[in-house]
Amino acid sequence: MKDIEEVKEMLKTRLTEKRYNHSLGAMKAAREIAKMYGEDEEEAEFAGLIHDIAKEFSKEEIENALEKYKIVPDEIEARQMGLLHAKLGAEVAKAEFGASEKVQNAIKYHTTGNIEMDTFAKIIYLADKIEETRTYEEVEELRTLAKEDLDRAILFTLDFTIQKSIRKKSLIHPD
């Protein structure tokens, strides 16, 4: 795992200011939630910081990364390319930062969630949703719930996300 300050400097060159600030917020939230649930705070901070490393890839960068990492998008990812940033981010985290399998899985599932998420992955999933730059209507309720019951907070988020996808007439990923 690289020095967190080095990673921050590198991210400043790759992400827009808004996405960078979101990543800093996710880093902070991940550390706080990890402390509450007895997970490694530094590792959570690192995962929170780099979780969106591939979020702003261009279409060409996505295509190149898919080929490089031998990732075949599923039917939904092929139609909603934005979902691929999680899988690609997990691979980039390993290749560029030597991220552990635990960090990779957390990054891989931070967008869709997954039944196989361990406590660490749940923390990163929630940190992405409740970090300080998030302002959607339900965020305060979710922030409170995250401090009380990790699994209930996950279910609340999944419910909210599914309802939002239905309203937008978007596809819902089976993960």
PDB file of all heavy atoms in Angstrom, residues 105-119:
ATOM      1  N   ASN A 105     -12.027  -6.123  -3.501  1.00  0.00           N
ATOM      2  CA  ASN A 105     -13.436  -6.514  -3.432  1.00  0.00           C
ATOM      3  C   ASN A 105     -14.311  -5.345  -2.990  1.00  0.00           C
ATOM      4  O   ASN A 105     -15.412  -5.167  -3.497  1.00  0.00           O
ATOM      5  CB  ASN A 105     -13.630  -7.713  -2.525  1.00  0.00           C
ATOM      6  CG  ASN A 105     -13.229  -9.006  -3.190  1.00  0.00           C
ATOM      7  OD1 ASN A 105     -13.268  -9.126  -4.416  1.00  0.00           O
ATOM      8  ND2 ASN A 105     -12.810  -9.969  -2.408  1.00  0.00           N
ATOM      9  N   ALA A 106     -13.823  -4.567  -2.041  1.00  0.00           N
ATOM     10  CA  ALA A 106     -14.593  -3.409  -1.578  1.00  0.00           C
ATOM     11  C   ALA A 106     -14.802  -2.418  -2.716  1.00  0.00           C
ATOM     12  O   ALA A 106     -15.901  -1.878  -2.887  1.00  0.00           O
ATOM     13  CB  ALA A 106     -13.879  -2.749  -0.404  1.00  0.00           C
ATOM     14  N   ILE A 107     -13.767  -2.178  -3.492  1.00  0.00           N
ATOM     15  CA  ILE A 107     -13.880  -1.253  -4.628  1.00  0.00           C
ATOM     16  C   ILE A 107     -14.801  -1.852  -5.693  1.00  0.00           C
ATOM     17  O   ILE A 107     -15.664  -1.162  -6.243  1.00  0.00           O
ATOM     18  CB  ILE A 107     -12.491  -0.919  -5.201  1.00  0.00           C
ATOM     19  CG1 ILE A 107     -11.686  -0.112  -4.180  1.00  0.00           C
ATOM     20  CG2 ILE A 107     -12.614  -0.162  -6.528  1.00  0.00           C
ATOM     21  CD1 ILE A 107     -10.225   0.079  -4.530  1.00  0.00           C
ATOM     22  N   LYS A 108     -14.641  -3.115  -5.951  1.00  0.00           N
ATOM     23  CA  LYS A 108     -15.438  -3.797  -6.978  1.00  0.00           C
ATOM     24  C   LYS A 108     -16.943  -3.699  -6.713  1.00  0.00           C
ATOM     25  O   LYS A 108     -17.746  -3.557  -7.630  1.00  0.00           O
ATOM     26  CB  LYS A 108     -15.018  -5.267  -7.055  1.00  0.00           C
ATOM     27  CG  LYS A 108     -15.724  -6.068  -8.109  1.00  0.00           C
ATOM     28  CD  LYS A 108     -15.168  -7.490  -8.116  1.00  0.00           C
ATOM     29  CE  LYS A 108     -15.864  -8.368  -9.118  1.00  0.00           C
ATOM     30  NZ  LYS A 108     -15.339  -9.734  -9.107  1.00  0.00           N
ATOM     31  N   TYR A 109     -17.325  -3.729  -5.428  1.00  0.00           N
ATOM     32  CA  TYR A 109     -18.743  -3.744  -5.090  1.00  0.00           C
ATOM     33  C   TYR A 109     -19.272  -2.428  -4.535  1.00  0.00           C
ATOM     34  O   TYR A 109     -20.418  -2.372  -4.097  1.00  0.00           O
ATOM     35  CB  TYR A 109     -19.040  -4.878  -4.101  1.00  0.00           C
ATOM     36  CG  TYR A 109     -18.740  -6.240  -4.675  1.00  0.00           C
ATOM     37  CD1 TYR A 109     -17.892  -7.123  -4.024  1.00  0.00           C
ATOM     38  CD2 TYR A 109     -19.302  -6.631  -5.877  1.00  0.00           C
ATOM     39  CE1 TYR A 109     -17.615  -8.373  -4.561  1.00  0.00           C
ATOM     40  CE2 TYR A 109     -19.030  -7.871  -6.425  1.00  0.00           C
ATOM     41  CZ  TYR A 109     -18.189  -8.743  -5.768  1.00  0.00           C
ATOM     42  OH  TYR A 109     -17.916  -9.969  -6.305  1.00  0.00           O
ATOM     43  N   HIS A 110     -18.485  -1.362  -4.593  1.00  0.00           N
ATOM     44  CA  HIS A 110     -18.925  -0.112  -3.957  1.00  0.00           C
ATOM     45  C   HIS A 110     -20.078   0.562  -4.685  1.00  0.00           C
ATOM     46  O   HIS A 110     -20.736   1.419  -4.120  1.00  0.00           O
ATOM     47  CB  HIS A 110     -17.750   0.880  -3.795  1.00  0.00           C
ATOM     48  CG  HIS A 110     -17.454   1.711  -4.991  1.00  0.00           C
ATOM     49  ND1 HIS A 110     -16.550   1.332  -5.966  1.00  0.00           N
ATOM     50  CD2 HIS A 110     -17.936   2.917  -5.366  1.00  0.00           C
ATOM     51  CE1 HIS A 110     -16.503   2.273  -6.892  1.00  0.00           C
ATOM     52  NE2 HIS A 110     -17.332   3.247  -6.558  1.00  0.00           N
ATOM     53  N   THR A 111     -20.372   0.159  -5.896  1.00  0.00           N
ATOM     54  CA  THR A 111     -21.467   0.773  -6.650  1.00  0.00           C
ATOM     55  C   THR A 111     -22.738  -0.064  -6.588  1.00  0.00           C
ATOM     56  O   THR A 111     -23.803   0.455  -6.278  1.00  0.00           O
ATOM     57  CB  THR A 111     -21.051   0.973  -8.121  1.00  0.00           C
ATOM     58  OG1 THR A 111     -19.897   1.811  -8.138  1.00  0.00           O
ATOM     59  CG2 THR A 111     -22.146   1.647  -8.925  1.00  0.00           C
ATOM     60  N   THR A 112     -22.621  -1.345  -6.867  1.00  0.00           N
ATOM     61  CA  THR A 112     -23.805  -2.203  -6.944  1.00  0.00           C
ATOM     62  C   THR A 112     -24.116  -2.913  -5.628  1.00  0.00           C
ATOM     63  O   THR A 112     -25.247  -3.349  -5.425  1.00  0.00           O
ATOM     64  CB  THR A 112     -23.619  -3.298  -8.015  1.00  0.00           C
ATOM     65  OG1 THR A 112     -22.474  -4.092  -7.665  1.00  0.00           O
ATOM     66  CG2 THR A 112     -23.463  -2.697  -9.397  1.00  0.00           C
ATOM     67  N   GLY A 113     -23.101  -3.047  -4.780  1.00  0.00           N
ATOM     68  CA  GLY A 113     -23.261  -3.924  -3.634  1.00  0.00           C
ATOM     69  C   GLY A 113     -23.160  -5.361  -4.112  1.00  0.00           C
ATOM     70  O   GLY A 113     -23.056  -5.622  -5.311  1.00  0.00           O
ATOM     71  N   ASN A 114     -23.168  -6.311  -3.176  1.00  0.00           N
ATOM     72  CA  ASN A 114     -23.103  -7.721  -3.541  1.00  0.00           C
ATOM     73  C   ASN A 114     -23.362  -8.546  -2.291  1.00  0.00           C
ATOM     74  O   ASN A 114     -22.915  -8.174  -1.201  1.00  0.00           O
ATOM     75  CB  ASN A 114     -21.729  -8.069  -4.127  1.00  0.00           C
ATOM     76  CG  ASN A 114     -21.663  -9.479  -4.654  1.00  0.00           C
ATOM     77  OD1 ASN A 114     -21.514 -10.419  -3.883  1.00  0.00           O
ATOM     78  ND2 ASN A 114     -21.785  -9.633  -5.950  1.00  0.00           N
ATOM     79  N   ILE A 115     -24.030  -9.650  -2.449  1.00  0.00           N
ATOM     80  CA  ILE A 115     -24.345 -10.508  -1.314  1.00  0.00           C
ATOM     81  C   ILE A 115     -23.084 -11.037  -0.636  1.00  0.00           C
ATOM     82  O   ILE A 115     -23.094 -11.382   0.535  1.00  0.00           O
ATOM     83  CB  ILE A 115     -25.289 -11.665  -1.732  1.00  0.00           C
ATOM     84  CG1 ILE A 115     -25.914 -12.290  -0.494  1.00  0.00           C
ATOM     85  CG2 ILE A 115     -24.563 -12.669  -2.600  1.00  0.00           C
ATOM     86  CD1 ILE A 115     -27.141 -13.098  -0.769  1.00  0.00           C
ATOM     87  N   GLU A 116     -21.965 -11.079  -1.362  1.00  0.00           N
ATOM     88  CA  GLU A 116     -20.716 -11.600  -0.824  1.00  0.00           C
ATOM     89  C   GLU A 116     -19.894 -10.549  -0.072  1.00  0.00           C
ATOM     90  O   GLU A 116     -18.796 -10.848   0.385  1.00  0.00           O
ATOM     91  CB  GLU A 116     -19.863 -12.170  -1.968  1.00  0.00           C
ATOM     92  CG  GLU A 116     -20.510 -13.299  -2.731  1.00  0.00           C
ATOM     93  CD  GLU A 116     -20.761 -14.541  -1.887  1.00  0.00           C
ATOM     94  OE1 GLU A 116     -19.936 -14.843  -1.008  1.00  0.00           O
ATOM     95  OE2 GLU A 116     -21.786 -15.202  -2.104  1.00  0.00           O
ATOM     96  N   MET A 117     -20.410  -9.321   0.083  1.00  0.00           N
ATOM     97  CA  MET A 117     -19.638  -8.282   0.755  1.00  0.00           C
ATOM     98  C   MET A 117     -19.359  -8.663   2.204  1.00  0.00           C
ATOM     99  O   MET A 117     -20.269  -9.053   2.926  1.00  0.00           O
ATOM    100  CB  MET A 117     -20.378  -6.938   0.731  1.00  0.00           C
ATOM    101  CG  MET A 117     -20.413  -6.269  -0.613  1.00  0.00           C
ATOM    102  SD  MET A 117     -21.008  -4.552  -0.534  1.00  0.00           S
ATOM    103  CE  MET A 117     -22.637  -4.714   0.154  1.00  0.00           C
ATOM    104  N   ASP A 118     -18.093  -8.506   2.601  1.00  0.00           N
ATOM    105  CA  ASP A 118     -17.751  -8.672   4.010  1.00  0.00           C
ATOM    106  C   ASP A 118     -17.920  -7.314   4.704  1.00  0.00           C
ATOM    107  O   ASP A 118     -18.331  -6.337   4.077  1.00  0.00           O
ATOM    108  CB  ASP A 118     -16.333  -9.227   4.170  1.00  0.00           C
ATOM    109  CG  ASP A 118     -15.251  -8.347   3.546  1.00  0.00           C
ATOM    110  OD1 ASP A 118     -15.521  -7.180   3.183  1.00  0.00           O
ATOM    111  OD2 ASP A 118     -14.107  -8.824   3.436  1.00  0.00           O
ATOM    112  N   THR A 119     -17.624  -7.252   5.982  1.00  0.00           N
ATOM    113  CA  THR A 119     -17.798  -6.010   6.736  1.00  0.00           C
ATOM    114  C   THR A 119     -16.995  -4.875   6.117  1.00  0.00           C
ATOM    115  O   THR A 119     -17.487  -3.753   5.986  1.00  0.00           O
ATOM    116  CB  THR A 119     -17.393  -6.216   8.212  1.00  0.00           C
ATOM    117  OG1 THR A 119     -18.255  -7.209   8.778  1.00  0.00           O
ATOM    118  CG2 THR A 119     -17.511  -4.938   9.012  1.00  0.00           C
TER     119      THR A 119
END
